[in-house]
């Protein structure tokens, strides 16, 4: 696991990104200092991300609390596989998410992915191993590597909020496609994770009404 940037490092990375790409200057000027979005890693972190998807924050928190309690306080691959899908569903999980929990746990136990030593793999190799697991999409893999593994040069090009913020930054009429977003983000290496944090922060400020875009409807 990489060590995420500290606040001073993030600020330096932001300045470096803006120096490379002046199109991000407005986002940088309008977005206050932020910390790295750090989450628990490993199997627990990945399954937690799956649980959180497509439900409200409050519902996700309630379901996760029941998952932790139901698994005896330790969300591990072994405890997951020892718990029948029917039991997992009583925690509030859909049958799909319960099944994904088993799939991810089995991948670790079978050795298809090693959550204890994932840092040995490059970003590309780690993402490929993750997306090979049923239920783990590209966006989930990339955000897991960023938030749970602390990787500094990951950019989830399929994220709609990032695409929209990129549109604002570039003064474009249309959002970039996923493929275009990945290509556009190449210039921000090796700080693509910080660029993503910056664009998310800017997007959130605009959506909350803290920042007003005069040339683009929010």
């Amino acid at each position: 696991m990489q060590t995420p940037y500290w606040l001073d490092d993030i600020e330096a990375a932001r300045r470096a990104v803006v120096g490379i790409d002046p199109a991000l200057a407005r986002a940088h000027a309008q977005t206050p200092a932020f910390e790295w979005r750090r989450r628990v890693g490993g199997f627990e972190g990945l399954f937690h991300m799956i649980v959180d998807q497509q439900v409200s924050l409050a519902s996700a928190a309630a379901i996760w609390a029941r998952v932790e309690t139901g698994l005896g306080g330790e969300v591990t691959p072994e405890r997951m596989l020892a718990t029948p899908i029917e039991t997992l569903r009583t925690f509030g999980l859909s049958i799909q998410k319960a099944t994904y929990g088993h799939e991810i746990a089995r991948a670790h136990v079978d050795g298809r992915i090693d959550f204890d030593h994932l840092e040995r793999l490059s970003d590309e190799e780690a993402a490929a191993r993750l997306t090979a697991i049923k239920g783990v999409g590209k966006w989930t893999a990339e955000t897991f590597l960023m938030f749970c593994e602390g990787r500094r040069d990951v950019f989830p090009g399929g994220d709609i909020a990032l695409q929209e913020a990129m549109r604002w930054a570039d003064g474009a009429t249309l959002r970039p496609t996923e493929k275009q977003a990945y290509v556009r983000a190449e210039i921000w290496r090796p700080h693509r994770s910080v660029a993503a944090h910056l664009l998310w922060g800017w997007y959130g400020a605009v959506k909350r009404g803290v920042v007003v875009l005069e040339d683009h409807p929010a």
Side-chain angles (χ1 to χ4, degrees):
M1 179 182 295
Q2 294 183 8
T3 301
Y5 293 99
W6 298 107
L7 281 175
D8 288 348
D9 297 328
I10 291 175
E11 182 61 27
R14 285 175 58 160
R15 289 197 300 270
V17 165
V18 173
I20 294 170
D21 187 357
L24 294 188
R26 180 169 57 162
H28 177 59
Q30 295 177 331
T31 306
F34 52 75
E35 295 183 351
W36 192 272
R37 296 186 188 183
R38 188 65 179 272
R39 297 182 59 147
V40 172
F43 168 78
E44 178 180 348
L46 181 58
F47 186 55
H48 198 165
M49 292 188 74
I50 296 291
V51 170
D52 284 353
Q53 291 173 9
Q54 299 177 323
V55 295
S56 68
L57 292 176
S59 294
I63 293 170
W64 186 252
R66 291 199 293 272
V67 168
E68 287 185 308
T69 299
L71 295 182
E74 294 184 13
V75 184
T76 64
E78 294 75 18
R79 286 182 181 268
M80 177 64 66
L81 290 175
T83 307
I85 294 232
E86 294 75 15
T87 303
L88 291 173
R89 294 198 65 194
T90 67
F91 305 156
L93 295 172
S94 66
I95 188 169
Q96 189 176 49
K97 290 184 179 180
T99 301
Y100 291 164
H102 271 218
E103 292 285 346
I104 297 167
R106 192 171 293 109
H108 177 77
V109 171
D110 291 349
R112 284 177 281 139
I113 191 165
D114 183 359
F115 286 107
D116 297 327
H117 301 98
L118 199 59
E119 74 280 355
R120 296 176 180 174
L121 302 178
S122 69
D123 297 339
E124 293 74 19
E125 290 171 332
R129 293 283 183 90
L130 288 165
T131 55
I133 305 170
K134 183 178 180 180
V136 182
K138 192 173 184 180
W139 179 89
T140 301
E142 289 168 337
T143 51
F144 171 81
L145 292 175
M146 187 188 302
F147 301 144
C148 301
E149 293 292 312
R151 302 211 181 201
R152 299 183 172 199
D153 193 32
V154 179
F155 191 85
D159 189 277
I160 298 299
L162 290 181
Q163 292 173 5
E164 185 69 354
M166 293 167 84
R167 180 178 78 87
W168 299 339
D170 290 336
T173 302
L174 300 176
R175 278 200 313 257
T177 64
E178 180 176 346
K179 182 177 181 180
Q180 290 169 338
Y182 282 119
V183 172
R184 177 72 177 81
E186 281 295 311
I187 194 175
W188 304 327
R189 286 182 180 271
H191 305 298
R192 287 183 300 166
S193 294
V194 166
H197 276 70
L198 173 60
L199 291 171
W200 271 320
W202 190 40
Y203 177 87
V206 171
K207 288 302 179 181
R208 292 192 305 273
V210 176
V211 170
V212 177
L213 297 178
E214 296 179 358
D215 54 343
H216 277 294

